[in-house]
Amino acid sequence: MPESGARKVILPARYIQGQGVLGQLGAHVKQHGSKPFVVSGRTGWTRVKARVQASLLQAGVPLAGHDDSVTECTHAKINEVAARVEDAEADIIIGCGGGKAVDTAKAVSEKLHLPVITVPTQCATNADQMADAVVFSEDHRFIEDIYLSQAPVLVLVDTEVVARAPPVFIVQGMGDALACGFEKPAYAETMRARKSQEQATNAALEVNLKCFQTLMAHGVQAKKDVEAGKITDAVESVVEAIKLQSGFGFGGGGCAAAHAVHNGLTIVPGIARKHGEIVAFGTMVQMVLERRPMGEVERVMRWCRELGLPIRLSELGKLDMSYLPKAAEKACDPNDSMSAMPFTVTPDMVLGAMREVDSLAQRLG
C-alpha cells in the first residue's frame, strides 16, 4: 500500500501575459467554441468591451451574449447567469473583470460543463486561474468554496489593461499572493502527516517560494511604477507572481490559516478592506500562530506597511471588536481551511494571535 495519496495540481491549459495580448482572444476562443458569452462586472466590461468584441469579430466568433451585472459571486447570481448562457446557446464562457466576475464565470462553466477563458482587468486576486469559486452572501460574507473539476482553458493577462487599473488593485493582489508562501507549506505538511489522498507537489512549493521572493524583491517598486503609469520588468514580475505563481501553488489545494482568518473577519461589522488586504493581515496571524521568528514577522509587516496593506485591526475598518471572538470561531470552522494547519488551532489561539499582530504593529510604529 502507498504511504500517502497522489500528488495533485490543477492548472489552466494555457497562460499568456503581456502588453496587447487581449488582441489574441478571438483566435483562442475559436479553438474551443463558436458562441462565446461574456460574464463580467460593469466597470471591467466597460474598460475592455471594444477590444474584446473587435478580437472576437476578427476571428469570426462574435458574442452570443453577455452579462455585466456581477457585483458579487453568489449562488443566486451563478444560477441567474447560467440561465442566460443556456438561453443564448453559448458554448464557451469568458470571465472578464475582477475576482467576483471571474469566479461567477468559472462556477457557471462548471454548472453547464462548458470551457471558460478568464480575462482579468485588474490584479486584486489570483482567482483567474484557480479551479475554485469563492461564494459570498450579497453583503459579502463568506459562504463556501466551490471546488471545480478543471481550471480555465486560458488565462489571458493583458498588462496594458491590468497595470492601468487603480494602483490599489495590484497592492491588494500582492496581499492575497503573500499568503501562498506560508499557507502552501502548512497545507503540504498537514497532508503528508495525514497520508491524505491528495498531496501537494514539490513544484507547487517551489513556485510558491518564488512568488514570495518576487513580492519581497519587486513589490514596492512595482507599486511605484504603476502609480507612475509605467509597465516595467518589476510590474510584469509582480503581475506574474499574483496571476500565475500564487495560483499555481494553490492549484492542488493549499489554503490554511491566512484565508480562514479572512473568512472569519468577513462577519465583523465595520470591516472595510478588500479580500487581499484582509488576507495579508491573516498571513501575519498565521505567522504568529506558527511562532515564526519575530524578525521574520517584522520583515513581512514592514513590507505590508510600505505598500499600504493593513497591519493593525484598526486599519481593517471601524470594527465592532465585540465580534472578534465570533470571527475567531468562524475561522476555526472544521469545514474551512484552518483544518489544513499542521497543528490544532483553537478560536482562543486565533483571537490571541490577532491581538498579538495588532500589538506588534503598534510597537513597530
Side-chain angles (χ1 to χ4, degrees), residues 287-305:
M287 295 178 77
V288 168
L289 287 169
E290 293 173 333
R291 293 296 163 198
R292 289 179 179 261
M294 196 53 60
E296 187 178 346
V297 179
E298 288 185 358
R299 179 194 179 203
V300 171
M301 192 170 281
R302 292 180 190 279
W303 179 84
C304 286
R305 185 177 62 181

Side-chain angles (χ1 to χ4, degrees), residues 266-339:
T266 63
I267 73 168
V268 179
I271 194 83
R273 293 290 196 133
K274 300 299 184 181
H275 176 84
E277 296 166 322
I278 304 171
V279 169
F281 183 84
T283 300
M284 289 176 281
V285 172
Q286 177 171 329
M287 295 178 77
V288 168
L289 287 169
E290 293 173 333
R291 293 296 163 198
R292 289 179 179 261
M294 196 53 60
E296 187 178 346
V297 179
E298 288 185 358
R299 179 194 179 203
V300 171
M301 192 170 281
R302 292 180 190 279
W303 179 84
C304 286
R305 185 177 62 181
E306 193 165 1
L307 285 170
L309 290 165
I311 61 175
R312 298 203 61 191
L313 287 165
S314 61
E315 294 171 0
L316 291 170
K318 295 181 180 180
L319 305 186
D320 183 338
M321 296 299 182
S322 70
Y323 273 74
L324 284 184
K326 294 180 181 179
E329 288 180 17
K330 183 169 177 58
C332 294
D333 184 328
N335 295 316
D336 206 341
S337 59
M338 190 68 78
S339 61

Side-chain angles (χ1 to χ4, degrees), residues 3 6 14 20 26 60 88 100 112 143 153 155 163 185 197 199 203 209 211 216 225 238 284 295 304 312 336 340 347:
E3 292 187 1
R14 186 170 294 182
K100 296 172 184 179
L112 301 181
I143 301 297
V153 295
V155 180
Q197 293 270 328
Q199 296 286 316
L209 176 60
C211 176
M216 292 295 109
D225 291 341
V238 166
M284 289 176 281
C304 286
R312 298 203 61 191
D336 206 341

Side-chain angles (χ1 to χ4, degrees), residues 98-99 102-103 106 118 125-132 152 176 243:
V102 164
D103 275 358
K106 291 185 299 181
T118 56
T125 74
N126 60 7
D128 314 278
Q129 69 148 306
M130 302 286 285
D132 77 338
D176 194 21
K243 294 301 189 185

